Amino acid sequence: MKKLLTFLVALFVVVSVFAAEKPFTLGPNVKYTGTVNFSLVVTKDGVDIDGSLTKVTASLAFGPTSDTQAGATFSITYVPFGGVNLTLKSITFSTPYFGAFYSTDKQFVSDYFTGLVYKRDGTTSWADAMADFKDSLKLTLPAVPGLEVYYLDKVNEGTATWFSDMVLVKYPVAGFTIVGGTYNTGDTTTHEFGVAANGSLDLGVFKPAVTVFGGMVAGTSEMETAYDVIVSGSLNPVTGLTLAPTFKFAENLEKLDYASTNIASGKYFSLGVTYTTTFAPVTLTAKVTPKVDFASATPTTTLPLDELSAQVAVAPVTFYVKTTNADLLTENPFTLYVKASYADAMINASVAASWADVTEFATYTYIHGTVSIKATPELTLYSDVRKIIATENDFGYNVRATYSITPNVNLTGFYGTLTKDAYGAYTVINPEPTWNVNLTYTASF
């Protein structure tokens, strides 16, 4: 199908040129953005220097003399002493008859087809969910406003005897967005297809979001039906009270080859009930989510206590305490989390602790303290300490400093055993202390 994609792009470009009264010419409109970084790091192992050009995109727009529009975007990479490389990222063009956007990567259309991996830190990636695909093409038709047609090219065409890629059609109808299409799975001759729709219903005081999906997926020995129905929303009958009902009825979604990580089967009804009230300086919050799961022949009911908390804020001091329980209908321990913090123009400090079982007060999960001191407008000092229950490496610490030489140049220092985890929090305890001094220059353009 790669040859087909190449042919389509070439055909659309040719039609784009001849649809104009006069051929378009290159114009001066070139835009680019990015970040340049330089770092000099001194550690016990020696000195490292590094320079990089990151997050760079360049947009080259054409200046046509007719209705035909065209443009392209590039990424730029710089290798020290190795030169600059330009890589095509996309091509965009339009005519009075159609518009096209070609990307050298995938394009997101729907969680049921062009799956993303949703990470805990809020970011997303294609990762393995769409590893079978690479280039993609999006077409729009001015004669049919809102209609979008997507073509995603497979990396390997596999053994399919006919169409081995993915084609999707997206169109808005009566407040709903409908996406439907078909694709060849993996390296096989099997084709799956489906239709998804999502939107909202206006029921007056309640405006639920509605998602519906239906399709055919490859089962163990034959094609099977996959479906998903989700109705959810929230309403506030009285001040401070929020009700959030959710109904889900779904099956065989795990068999979708290219779905996002947030697409999962399940059959249940849940009702989030949250009540918050404030009697200054105290804020009280309670949240429970009763859930009836009817995925099996015998429905089960759970009643999680998501939060029972109190916060007392008397500037510059704040106290916070929260308890939770996995299911109030069965024997489960109550967890406990407490935090005390102080903040003013010069000092920010906090101490937090967590317990897996409030009745086992001596057996805490962790105790974590952090402080930052703005000694001068240019100099800020930091420190973290962390204590966990473990047989070894149960205590970690660090001291850090940042000195702003100029708005773009910073000098930082680090010493300690407590380093960052994958999410940027100082939770990793190392057996031996490390140290570094880092001079950095950063500028965006």
Side-chain angles (χ1 to χ4, degrees):
M1 290 299 169
K2 179 65 175 179
K3 292 182 178 179
L4 174 60
L5 178 60
T6 303
F7 171 75
L8 288 174
V9 172
L11 176 63
F12 292 145
V13 171
V14 170
V15 173
S16 175
V17 171
F18 286 97
E21 295 178 4
K22 297 179 181 180
F24 59 78
T25 59
L26 287 175
N29 189 14
V30 179
K31 299 179 181 179
Y32 52 90
T33 62
T35 301
V36 61
N37 298 282
F38 166 79
S39 66
L40 184 152
V41 182
V42 182
T43 69
K44 64 180 181 62
D45 298 319
V47 178
D48 294 321
I49 60 173
D50 182 48
S52 63
L53 194 62
T54 61
K55 301 179 181 178
V56 178
T57 60
S59 175
L60 174 62
F62 293 87
T65 57
S66 72
D67 292 333
T68 303
Q69 304 283 334
T73 63
F74 304 85
S75 65
I76 303 174
T77 56
Y78 169 70
V79 180
F81 311 112
V84 176
N85 297 319
L86 287 178
T87 304
L88 176 67
K89 294 184 66 178
S90 67
I91 298 174
T92 306
F93 54 91
S94 65
T95 76
Y97 314 106
F98 61 83
F101 175 77
Y102 164 75
S103 173
T104 58
D105 202 351
K106 281 76 68 174
Q107 297 183 52
F108 179 77
V109 186
S110 166
D111 278 324
Y112 293 95
F113 300 100
T114 52
L116 289 171
V117 174
Y118 290 88
K119 301 179 183 178
R120 285 178 53 194
D121 60 359
T123 61
T124 60
S125 72
W126 296 109
D128 295 333
M130 292 293 289
D132 287 349
F133 297 90
K134 46 180 179 178
D135 303 33
S136 59
L137 178 68
K138 170 186 174 182
L139 298 176
T140 57
L141 302 173
V144 188
L147 177 64
E148 299 174 357
V149 180
Y150 292 85
Y151 172 82
L152 283 81
D153 187 34
K154 291 285 284 293
V155 176
N156 298 307
E157 303 304 336
T159 57
T161 57
W162 62 286
F163 188 81
S164 64
D165 301 305
M166 178 184 289
V167 170
L168 301 173
V169 177
K170 182 178 180 180
Y171 189 67
V173 177
F176 280 75
T177 299
I178 299 175
V179 177
T182 183
Y183 53 86
N184 167 240
T185 63
D187 198 21
T188 71
T189 59
T190 302
H191 291 79
E192 298 180 346
F193 56 89
V195 178
N198 66 281
S200 60
L201 298 175
D202 190 347
L203 303 179
V205 295
F206 185 50
K207 299 179 180 180
V210 178
T211 298
V212 179
F213 169 81
M216 297 299 294
V217 297
T220 305
S221 59
E222 59 184 10
M223 298 297 288
E224 299 179 0
T225 302
Y227 54 86
D228 194 11
V229 178
I230 307 172
V231 181
S232 63
S234 66
L235 62 158
N236 303 95
V238 297
T239 301
L241 178 63
T242 300
L243 303 178
T246 298
F247 171 81
K248 181 178 176 68
F249 195 81
E251 193 170 73
N252 288 330
L253 298 183
E254 66 281 356
K255 298 179 182 179
L256 290 171
D257 285 76
Y258 307 114
S260 295
T261 54
N262 62 353
I263 299 300
S265 297
K267 299 175 182 178
Y268 63 84
F269 174 79
S270 67
L271 177 63
V273 182
T274 304
Y275 183 74
T276 300
T277 185
T278 299
F279 305 96
V282 180
T283 298
L284 302 175
T285 300
K287 181 180 179 181
V288 294
T289 310
K291 179 180 179 181
V292 179
D293 193 315
F294 45 90
S296 61
T298 305
T300 59
T301 301
T302 56
L303 181 60
L305 174 63
D306 301 301
E307 177 179 352
L308 180 60
S309 66
Q311 177 175 288
V312 181
V314 182
V317 178
T318 300
F319 296 98
Y320 179 76
V321 58
K322 180 179 76 171
T323 185
T324 65
N325 191 292
D327 186 3
L328 294 174
L329 300 180
T330 60
E331 291 292 332
N332 292 288
F334 285 83
T335 68
L336 179 64
Y337 173 83
V338 295
K339 182 177 182 179
S341 58
Y342 174 93
D344 63 25
M346 181 178 178
I347 299 175
N348 276 271
S350 67
V351 177
S354 175
W355 288 263
D357 188 342
V358 69
T359 63
E360 302 290 339
F361 199 73
T363 310
Y364 56 86
T365 304
Y366 69 83
I367 300 175
H368 193 108
T370 181
V371 62
S372 67
I373 302 173
K374 197 168 186 63
T376 69
E378 299 80 18
L379 177 63
T380 304
L381 305 175
Y382 306 87
S383 181
D384 278 81
V385 294
R386 186 176 182 86
K387 184 74 168 63
I388 64 175
I389 295 296
T391 56
E392 58 181 357
N393 299 332
D394 61 350
F395 178 74
Y397 65 91
N398 65 49
V399 289
R400 314 184 308 276
T402 298
Y403 186 83
S404 180
I405 300 173
T406 72
N408 298 98
V409 181
N410 290 281
L411 182 66
T412 63
F414 175 94
Y415 178 83
T417 61
L418 190 61
T419 57
K420 289 182 179 180
D421 59 22
Y423 303 100
Y426 286 96
T427 64
V428 179
I429 300 175
N430 299 282
E432 299 294 335
T434 60
W435 65 271
N436 65 71
V437 178
N438 194 351
L439 177 68
T440 61
Y441 167 79
T442 302
S444 297
F445 56 89

